[in-house]
């Protein structure tokens, strides 16, 4: 069925159906239920999807990572696709939105229990790279990334992979909607050492923070928790090199 045919059967506009299916619009339970019924989705799978819709509407909900399928990233992809601005900090690794395929593969393989050749690795690498599609949209969100200097020196995947990753960063920062800064090791301790985080600015002024750990992802939209992460971001930004000086440091390490 085309999106027009789906809309006609469910009493929805074609544009609405398209926004729901591409993840560029928020989901209403009754719309999802109607589409699941029309598509004859088996009951167990339909129940899983509806549960995700319910959870996504709740503040500060936790998603436990599964194996095999990158479902732990699907919600993140959905949030990122709606964002108008993204601010991400990682102290030890290049953030996923800026990783090359080889770097992503090495990072996922070497920081988890996945063995080389396991299908799960290919699936998770593909999922991570799929997130980067938002940066190539006609109207992409702004991206401000701050990374720690150790991320520029850690030979993830070997020195050749790291060198290619650094050159990729220099290409990405040429885009007008991307800003990249580096926090030098000489700055000492700062709030970013508590772990990586991503602040997503959504339409209508809403903000969601995402943090990821070994076995679970946490989405926070409580005002106090979002405010705490924004204060941490400002502190980290104050310690970071300017975008130009950051690019010069990256170039020197290529």
């Amino acid at each position: 069925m085309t999106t027009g045919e789906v809309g006609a059967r469910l009493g929805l506009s074609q544009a609405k159906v398209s926004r729901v299916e591409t993840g560029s619009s928020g989901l209403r339970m009754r719309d999802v239920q109607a589409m699941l019924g029309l598509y004859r989705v088996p009951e167990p799978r339909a129940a899983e999807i509806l549960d995700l819709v319910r959870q996504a509407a709740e503040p500060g909900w936790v998603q436990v990572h599964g194996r095999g399928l990158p479902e732990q990233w699907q919600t993140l992809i959905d949030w990122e696709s709606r964002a108008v601005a993204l601010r991400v900090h990682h102290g030890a690794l290049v953030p996923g939105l800026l990783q090359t395929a080889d770097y992503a593969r090495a990072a996922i393989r070497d920081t988890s229990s996945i063995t080389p050749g396991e299908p799960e690795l290919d699936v998770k690498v593909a999922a991570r790279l799929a997130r980067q599609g938002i940066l190539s949209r006609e109207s992409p969100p702004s991206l401000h990334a701050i990374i720690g200097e150790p991320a520029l020196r850690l030979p993830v995947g070997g020195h050749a992979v790291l060198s290619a990753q650094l050159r990729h960063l220099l290409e990405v920062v040429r885009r007008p909607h991307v800003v990249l800064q580096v926090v030098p090791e000489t700055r000492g301790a700062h709030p970013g050492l508590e772990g990586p985080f991503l602040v997503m600015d959504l339409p209508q002024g809403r903000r969601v923070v995402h943090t990821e750990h070994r076995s679970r992802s946490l989405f926070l939209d409580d005002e106090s928790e979002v405010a705490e992460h924004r204060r941490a971001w400002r502190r980290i930004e104050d310690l970071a090199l300017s975008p130009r000086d950051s690019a010069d440091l990256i170039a020197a390490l290529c």
Side-chain angles (χ1 to χ4, degrees):
M1 290 178 286
T2 65
T3 52
E5 291 170 337
V6 172
R9 295 197 186 193
L10 299 181
L12 303 172
S13 69
Q14 181 179 0
K16 172 64 176 178
V17 175
S18 178
R19 287 196 299 271
V20 170
E21 292 195 345
T22 59
S24 60
S25 171
L27 301 178
R28 293 191 302 178
M29 185 66 69
R30 65 170 181 263
D31 294 337
V32 176
Q33 287 175 318
M35 294 173 79
L36 291 172
L38 180 63
Y39 299 159
R40 300 181 181 178
V41 176
E43 181 58 35
R45 182 56 176 157
E48 291 178 10
I49 294 173
L50 291 174
D51 188 51
L52 287 175
V53 176
R54 292 188 191 96
Q55 292 180 50
E58 299 174 0
W61 64 281
V62 176
Q63 186 175 28
V64 178
H65 294 187
R67 289 186 59 84
L69 295 176
E71 294 184 1
Q72 72 270 27
W73 283 322
Q74 186 57 55
T75 302
L76 178 58
I77 291 173
D78 290 343
W79 282 118
E80 287 177 334
S81 69
R82 305 176 203 173
V84 297
L86 301 165
R87 291 187 291 276
V88 60
H89 170 265
H90 205 305
L93 294 171
V94 173
L97 287 170
L98 299 175
Q99 292 179 359
T100 64
D102 288 339
Y103 186 99
R105 177 173 296 277
I108 294 171
R109 180 194 64 216
D110 296 342
T111 60
S112 69
S113 59
I114 303 175
T115 57
E118 193 172 344
E120 180 187 1
L121 179 59
D122 291 334
V123 175
K124 289 193 172 183
V125 171
R128 179 163 294 182
L129 297 179
R131 292 173 52 199
Q132 301 177 9
I134 60 172
L135 300 180
S136 301
R137 293 190 317 206
E138 184 175 345
S139 298
S142 63
L143 172 63
H144 189 169
I146 302 179
I147 60 178
E149 184 178 348
L152 305 179
R153 300 180 182 276
L154 188 67
V156 174
H159 291 287
V161 170
L162 176 61
S163 182
Q165 174 64 71
L166 297 181
R167 292 194 298 271
H168 176 68
L169 291 178
L170 295 176
E171 290 293 328
V172 172
V173 296
R174 295 180 180 179
R175 302 180 185 182
H177 59 281
V178 176
V179 174
L180 176 62
Q181 294 180 263
V182 176
V183 179
E185 293 175 313
T186 55
R187 296 293 198 255
H190 56 80
L193 297 181
E194 293 186 354
F197 63 91
L198 168 66
V199 180
M200 295 173 278
D201 291 0
L202 305 172
Q204 287 82 50
R206 185 181 181 189
R207 291 187 174 91
V208 174
V209 172
H210 172 257
T211 64
E212 186 174 347
H213 305 282
R214 178 171 298 277
S215 63
R216 64 191 61 211
S217 296
L218 184 61
F219 294 86
L220 307 168
D221 64 357
D222 178 78
E223 289 186 7
S224 63
E225 292 177 316
V226 171
E228 181 179 350
H229 282 82
R230 293 186 68 199
R231 287 192 295 271
W233 172 269
R234 288 192 292 269
R235 173 61 177 157
I236 298 168
E237 185 178 11
D238 288 341
L239 295 173
L241 298 173
S242 69
R244 174 180 287 275
D245 288 344
S246 296
D248 289 343
L249 176 57
I250 295 170
L253 294 173
C254 284

